[in-house]
Amino acid sequence: KEPARVITITGKNVNNLLYMHMAFRKDRHAVNARVLLTDEEESQDILEAYVSRGYPIMAVSLNGFYVGYGVLRTEHGQCVPEELYIRREYRRKGMGTLLLKKMEETASEEYDTPQLHWQVYPDDHVLIRFLADNGYDVLDSLEVRRKTRNEENMQVYRIGEHEYKY
């Protein structure tokens, strides 16, 4: 067995991430129903758009098998992780941390950005715990927008000593 390693994904091998991308969207949808599920064709279009925009895409390979992937983008001079996904059976085994370190290294080397700026749903306790375990702190940030017609009323969020309802 070889150790896990992070490889760069290009247009030639991006379709190898298709089913993981669909699983990523399913996980995100479970946390926030506004994240739409995708089929194979939609996932392929999204992944190919990442490649065409030049977003760095990297995957964790374990004995030639992809166990996770990440996508970065830049926004207003900041490097923002667009996606980070590790297959469930490989979580809590260091694969996510390996990928995160490579994403941080890429942000530093390619974008001269010393840190990643995460946008996380308040209910995404798994990602928040993962980031906290890797030295990240929650900043005072809250996304505010109008509800869509189909959203349920009055979700309550507690941030610090404050409670927000929408």
Side-chain angles (χ1 to χ4, degrees):
K1 288 185 173 184
E2 64 180 58
R5 61 191 178 100
V6 179
I7 64 167
T8 300
I9 298 296
T10 65
K12 293 178 182 177
N13 58 356
V14 74
N15 285 336
N16 293 336
L17 302 180
L18 208 57
Y19 294 104
M20 272 198 297
H21 182 266
M22 291 169 59
F24 166 78
R25 294 296 287 254
K26 186 176 180 182
D27 276 6
R28 296 299 96 213
H29 180 78
V31 171
N32 188 321
R34 292 185 306 262
V35 176
L36 301 177
L37 298 172
T38 58
D39 61 18
E40 287 179 38
E41 187 175 322
E42 291 166 322
S43 283
Q44 183 175 5
D45 290 346
I46 292 167
L47 292 168
E48 287 175 357
Y50 292 158
V51 170
S52 71
R53 292 178 185 145
Y55 291 1
I57 305 172
M58 50 213 78
V60 179
S61 175
L62 186 61
N63 299 314
F65 177 70
Y66 294 154
V67 299
Y69 77 99
V71 180
L72 291 175
R73 66 180 163 83
T74 56
E75 180 180 285
H76 308 295
Q78 297 178 342
C79 206
V80 180
E82 183 72 21
E83 298 182 8
L84 184 139
Y85 179 78
I86 301 294
R87 294 178 190 269
R88 288 187 185 278
E89 61 271 26
Y90 293 95
R91 293 180 187 170
R92 313 266 329 145
K93 296 181 180 184
M95 303 299 159
T97 298
L98 179 67
L99 182 57
L100 175 63
K101 299 301 178 202
K102 182 62 175 179
M103 292 172 82
E104 291 171 335
E105 180 183 303
T106 300
S108 180
E109 291 175 1
E110 292 188 26
Y111 298 102
D112 197 28
T113 304
Q115 60 186 349
L116 300 177
H117 294 267
W118 291 84
Q119 297 172 349
V120 181
Y121 292 112
D123 289 347
D124 196 343
H125 304 292
V126 172
L127 182 56
I128 292 169
R129 185 184 74 221
F130 168 74
L131 292 172
D133 288 349
N134 283 280
Y136 284 81
D137 293 317
V138 175
L139 302 176
D140 293 331
S141 181
L142 181 66
E143 176 183 345
V144 179
R145 64 167 181 73
R146 290 180 189 230
K147 290 183 290 210
T148 61
R149 260 187 274 155
N150 298 330
E151 284 184 275
E152 294 180 23
N153 290 326
M154 299 309 286
Q155 294 179 349
V156 178
Y157 292 98
R158 185 174 234 359
I159 299 176
E161 296 177 11
H162 303 284
E163 192 172 274
Y164 298 91
K165 297 178 182 181
Y166 85 100

